[in-house]
Amino acid sequence: MEAFIQGMLLAFGLILPLGPQNAFILSQGATQPRLWQAAPAVITAGICDTLLILLAVLGVSAVLLEVPTIKMAMVIVGVCFLLFIAWQLWKTPADNKNNAPRQRMSWQKQILFACSVSLLNPYAYLDTIGVIGTAAMSYHRHDRMLFTTGCILTSWLWFISMTVLGRIVGARENKGFIARHINHIAAMIMLFSAGYVVYLNV
């Protein structure tokens, strides 16, 4: 159980900062008319994180990122998608309850955007490879499986929690700036993340 708990704690420390992925999940919880309608974003993000964690533990992602062409392609495509998502979020802010009904993102867009913020962010790979992948090397067989399970479970629980938090904030969106403009805040996080990726790779 020690490996399982360490996996959970490590994954929690990595996923805690409010990056593009968390900001997007939070925005969907806040802007979808019903909590279950944010499920496509949550499930997609959870599957993507599960894939990244498994690739890191198996060492596959480390091999891929050693190819400069692949890494540069990921950076370019990732920045473009972050900018596109920022634009989409900025132009569709959460509506006030006293005005029109909430605008919501379709399930197709939720899946596309959740994939992009999860898989096209080079630093998601660096986190999983540099931290989770490296830490997993210190465990063997059964313990490594427990460690990996702890990381994956934390990821899923976190995304569900972020959606619920977004829903709570969205339900009170007529009472505060953050709730009324949560999509604008998420868009700014996307822009900052895109700029940071460019800065570190130029």
Side-chain angles (χ1 to χ4, degrees), residues 149-202:
T149 302
C151 291
I152 292 172
L153 179 62
T154 299
S155 178
W156 281 88
L157 292 176
W158 179 259
F159 292 139
I160 294 171
S161 300
M162 290 297 290
T163 310
V164 173
L165 176 61
R167 179 63 179 171
I168 293 172
V169 173
R172 301 179 180 180
E173 61 186 16
N174 61 329
K175 296 183 180 180
F177 175 85
I178 294 179
R180 287 197 305 270
H181 301 284
I182 191 167
N183 273 3
H184 285 171
I185 294 171
M188 294 301 295
I189 293 174
M190 302 291 176
L191 287 174
F192 174 80
S193 300
Y196 189 63
V197 170
V198 172
Y199 171 75
L200 292 178
N201 286 275
V202 170

Side-chain angles (χ1 to χ4, degrees), residues 3-144:
F4 178 79
I5 294 173
Q6 288 183 351
M8 293 192 70
L9 292 175
L10 183 60
F12 179 74
L14 291 175
I15 204 172
L16 183 60
L18 190 62
Q21 190 184 49
N22 286 336
F24 178 69
I25 298 298
L26 183 67
S27 73
Q28 291 310 294
T31 58
Q32 292 294 331
R34 301 230 194 301
L35 186 62
W36 65 266
Q37 289 176 302
V42 175
I43 294 173
T44 303
I47 292 175
C48 289
D49 263 29
T50 299
L51 176 63
L52 289 177
I53 291 170
L54 291 175
L55 289 176
V57 171
L58 295 173
V60 176
S61 53
V63 175
L64 290 177
L65 287 183
E66 286 182 356
V67 182
T69 305
I70 293 178
K71 184 176 181 180
M72 183 55 61
M74 285 179 55
V75 169
I76 294 172
V77 176
V79 168
C80 290
F81 263 103
L82 286 174
L83 293 176
F84 178 68
I85 295 170
W87 176 67
Q88 288 285 318
L89 291 174
W90 186 269
K91 73 173 187 174
T92 55
D95 294 310
N96 189 286
K97 281 185 176 180
N98 298 324
N99 297 322
R102 297 184 189 190
Q103 299 177 31
R104 67 184 184 93
M105 187 175 288
S106 67
W107 66 267
Q108 295 95 332
K109 279 190 175 182
Q110 286 188 58
I111 292 175
L112 175 63
F113 288 5
C115 279
S116 65
V117 296
S118 301
L119 300 178
L120 296 178
N121 180 5
Y123 298 97
Y125 290 86
L126 295 179
D127 279 346
T128 52
I129 294 171
V131 182
I132 293 178
T134 302
M137 292 175 62
S138 61
Y139 297 102
H140 300 282
R141 295 183 180 179
H142 181 66
D143 284 341
R144 181 177 294 188

